[in-house]
Amino acid sequence: MIVIMKCLCKAVPPDSIEDYTAMGACTIYRYPKRFLDALMYGFNDKYMRRPSQDDTGRLLRDNAVSGFPGMLGSIDCLHWKWMACPTYRAGQHYSGHKRAPTVILEEAASFDRWFWHGYFEKPGSNNDINVLNHSDVFDNVNNGVTPRWEYEVNGHRYTEGYYLADGIYPRYKVLVASYKEATLSRKKKLLNTYQESKRKDAERALSTMKRKFAIVKNPCMYWKKSDMKSIMRGCMIMHNMVVENKNRA
């Protein structure tokens, strides 16, 4: 367990602790993957669940107090650098603004830094809209099985919550994106200010997770994308465990 925590929390390269553990680097690599696979098998349904009826009611009540009735949380994307990306796949994973091969995580988080959604798969050459079109974040909405909760905004009644997003996202009924900066009225500029400040919930959740687990903060040295997916998912689950423990205290 000490070896696993060193790899996940301290991002210690396995080949740097071969002598200390008296194990080969390939063996050390295998232990965190087995641990995370077992973690996902046992706790994924509980700690990476979609908001239930009770969850939805609590989120809507708490966000209504802060001036955003109907808001469930914020949605954002994270590029994780893949230093061990095979050369023949580097082109599709290359991200211009990161100047390195990356894999994208799409996540949705609430004000308490709880992750309600995580989709990790698309290469870094995609933008946020491409990732959204392939993810399953709104499958329940499309299938009509989301929890119903009525609320009112400006005299209009709604039955589905929404997520805050930045300006690149499309204007779906379940997404409230910021307005483009060109020739905005005073009212829209004020809405952008409040929306952008509240949208930081997703970034705060990611920053907290990266402080806990340095392995997702530093560039990934694993060769397989499936291993990267296990690491990211497992770290999100453990992050939610910590959030739950703090809320109980």
Side-chain angles (χ1 to χ4, degrees):
M1 182 58 72
I2 295 177
V3 173
I4 294 172
M5 290 299 104
K6 279 183 174 290
C7 292
L8 296 179
C9 300
K10 300 297 184 181
V12 176
D15 53 1
S16 68
I17 55 175
E18 287 179 307
D19 297 335
Y20 168 72
T21 59
M23 293 186 293
C26 60
T27 303
I28 300 174
Y29 269 114
R30 189 166 63 247
Y31 278 120
K33 291 190 291 184
R34 287 186 175 181
F35 170 77
L36 294 170
D37 288 341
L39 187 73
M40 288 189 291
Y41 179 80
F43 298 99
N44 185 75
D45 291 343
K46 178 179 180 181
Y47 289 99
M48 289 302 296
R49 66 184 186 276
R50 299 295 175 84
S52 64
Q53 187 73 27
D54 293 338
D55 295 327
T56 300
R58 177 178 59 83
L59 292 173
L60 295 185
R61 286 192 297 269
D62 291 339
N63 287 320
V65 175
S66 62
F68 284 87
M71 190 188 81
L72 295 174
S74 305
I75 190 168
D76 200 5
C77 287
L78 166 73
H79 286 255
W80 190 16
K81 290 185 180 180
W82 189 10
M83 297 304 294
C85 178
T87 303
Y88 71 94
R89 301 178 66 181
Q92 62 177 322
H93 287 83
Y94 186 82
S95 172
H97 67 285
K98 295 293 182 181
R99 300 190 179 278
T102 64
V103 182
I104 303 175
L105 166 71
E106 179 190 77
E107 53 86 23
S110 52
F111 65 93
D112 55 359
R113 307 184 192 185
W114 182 285
F115 289 116
W116 295 104
H117 163 73
Y119 174 70
F120 182 82
E121 183 175 324
K122 301 305 292 182
S125 58
N126 291 272
N127 59 24
D128 294 4
I129 299 177
N130 300 138
V131 178
L132 179 67
N133 290 337
H134 286 86
S135 74
D136 59 350
V137 61
F138 296 130
D139 281 2
N140 287 350
V141 176
N142 295 331
N143 296 329
V145 295
T146 54
R148 296 287 172 172
W149 197 281
E150 291 190 0
Y151 62 95
E152 185 174 325
V153 178
N154 294 333
H156 299 279
R157 299 196 69 81
Y158 300 91
T159 58
E160 295 174 344
Y162 60 85
Y163 289 94
L164 299 183
D166 58 26
I168 192 175
Y169 283 89
R171 297 192 175 279
Y172 296 154
K173 65 177 181 179
V174 287
L175 284 177
V176 175
S178 57
Y179 289 99
K180 304 297 182 182
E181 289 297 331
T183 63
L184 291 181
S185 65
R186 181 181 178 184
K187 183 182 294 185
K188 290 183 178 180
K189 288 182 179 179
L190 183 61
L191 176 61
N192 273 2
T193 301
Y194 285 116
Q195 193 263 10
E196 290 169 1
S197 63
K198 190 62 178 175
R199 183 164 47 84
K200 298 298 183 182
D201 291 344
E203 297 179 10
R204 288 171 58 243
L206 286 173
S207 298
T208 304
M209 183 180 70
K210 289 192 287 187
R211 286 199 301 269
K212 292 188 182 81
F213 307 105
I215 193 170
V216 297
K217 179 181 180 181
N218 298 329
C220 183
M221 302 302 296
Y222 279 66
W223 291 97
K224 296 181 180 179
K225 189 189 289 188
S226 59
D227 297 337
M228 297 177 67
K229 189 173 183 179
S230 297
I231 293 170
M232 185 62 73
R233 192 77 171 185
C235 289
M236 294 177 78
I237 291 173
M238 290 188 288
H239 168 86
N240 281 353
M241 289 179 174
V242 175
V243 171
E244 181 186 56
N245 185 64
K246 286 184 177 180
N247 290 339
R248 285 178 177 176

